[in-house]
Amino acid sequence: MTHLPASAAGGARPAARSVAPARLWNIANILTMVRLLLVPGFVLLMLHNGGYDPAWRSFAWAAFAIAMITDLFDGHLARRYNLVTDFGKIADPIADKAIMGAALICLSALSDLPWWVTGVILFREIGITLMRFWVIKHGVIPASRGGKMKTLAQGTAVGMYILALTGPLATMRAWVMAVAVGLTVLTGLDYVRQAIVLRRAGLAAERERAARESVR
């Protein structure tokens, strides 16, 4: 076995392949746009005929379910097939918060869900999003397993409240929502901890770089 370069040994080195930037109109971004467009449609279905018609509530649940399903796929497709774009980075979290926020506000406006529940969830979601931007120059806070469980619990609980359930299922949804609120608070506190640690580490690294440059 020789240690000569491939060109000298008679072989040809493979040309490095450059990765083309993802197009704006790719499947991941289209799914995100579908989710955004579903928000006003969901609100209209939810509030149609006074907001208490079981049939229209079922249609609203279908729109909400489609939105939540697209949320599961667009991010996965973007990462797996290199479809990440600046538009997607901004639009995806907005679409997530928009459909969940619309559902919570509608439910509270119809007196199906206490306003404090809506307030806690929206405060956490908006606060964590702003916090991510606050520390983005120091690094990215990855989605945790608890965060994924929180999203699943929120989607399940809100979906159960959208449907006109009665009897044991109506009682069960209150417990599912209690779990969702608990996970919302706990994961929110964990993200705050991670953000503080990440920012402190980033600031320490910046001070270290500045100190090295000052002695040159």
Side-chain angles (χ1 to χ4, degrees):
M1 179 177 179
T2 66
H3 294 279
L4 294 174
S7 57
R13 299 180 64 184
R17 292 189 304 174
S18 59
V19 179
R23 294 182 178 181
L24 176 61
W25 291 110
N26 57 59
I27 184 61
N29 285 348
I30 290 174
L31 288 176
T32 299
M33 289 299 299
V34 168
R35 195 156 72 257
L36 282 169
L37 293 174
L38 281 171
V39 174
F42 164 81
V43 173
L44 290 175
L45 292 170
M46 187 72 181
L47 300 180
H48 187 77
N49 200 21
Y52 296 104
D53 189 314
W56 288 101
R57 293 282 285 257
S58 297
F59 294 142
W61 177 87
F64 179 80
I66 293 172
M68 297 305 293
I69 290 171
T70 61
D71 181 30
L72 295 176
F73 284 103
D74 58 359
H76 173 72
L77 291 172
R79 292 186 297 272
R80 181 169 183 177
Y81 297 105
N82 191 34
L83 302 177
V84 178
T85 63
D86 290 338
F87 170 81
K89 292 177 183 177
I90 297 173
D92 183 66
I94 291 176
D96 297 343
K97 306 301 181 291
I99 188 65
M100 184 60 68
L104 290 167
I105 291 172
C106 285
L107 289 170
S108 292
L110 293 170
S111 299
D112 289 340
L113 188 68
W115 276 106
W116 71 264
V117 174
T118 294
V120 167
I121 294 177
L122 291 185
F123 178 80
R124 186 270 190 198
E125 299 300 331
I126 295 173
I128 295 302
T129 299
L130 294 176
M131 189 178 62
R132 286 179 183 273
F133 286 109
W134 179 53
V135 300
I136 195 169
K137 70 174 183 177
H138 302 298
V140 177
I141 303 176
S144 65
R145 181 176 299 179
K148 294 177 182 178
M149 292 175 59
K150 177 270 304 179
T151 301
L152 177 61
Q154 282 184 1
T156 303
V158 171
M160 293 178 73
Y161 270 88
I162 292 172
L163 291 171
L165 299 178
T166 58
L169 288 176
T171 303
M172 182 186 299
R173 68 184 181 183
W175 288 102
V176 177
M177 181 60 76
V179 172
V181 172
L183 288 173
T184 296
V185 173
L186 291 176
T187 56
L189 293 174
D190 183 60
Y191 277 127
V192 170
R193 180 192 61 79
Q194 291 185 60
I196 293 173
V197 171
L198 183 61
R199 188 169 188 273
R200 286 177 177 174
L203 292 175
E206 289 179 359
R207 287 193 294 267
E208 185 177 348
R209 285 195 299 269
R212 286 199 303 265
E213 291 176 358
S214 64
V215 298
R216 288 180 180 176

